[in-house]
Amino acid sequence: MFSKKMPEIIPEEDTNVWACSSPECKGWMRQNFAFQAVPDCPLCGSGMNEESRMLPALTNTTRNMAFS
Ligand SMILES: [Zn+2]
């Protein structure tokens, strides 16, 4: 994903996320930052499924959501 050399290595950890149930939608969010117990996708309004992904460990960052 990153081809440039990074100044420091960010460790990845198994993170619980909500992922949009729509196969055409890339919306997801970290469970830690979900506003509802079972959120709806903020992009398309579909339901979301619980998943776990390897994500960079959070320290002090506002990058708590990613939509691509
Ligand atoms: Zn969606």
Side-chain angles (χ1 to χ4, degrees), residues 29-52:
M29 67 178 77
R30 291 174 187 263
Q31 280 192 8
N32 288 352
F33 291 92
F35 301 115
Q36 300 160 260
V38 182
D40 293 327
C41 177
L43 295 188
C44 70
S46 296
M48 301 191 88
N49 297 322
E50 205 167 357
E51 283 183 12
S52 75

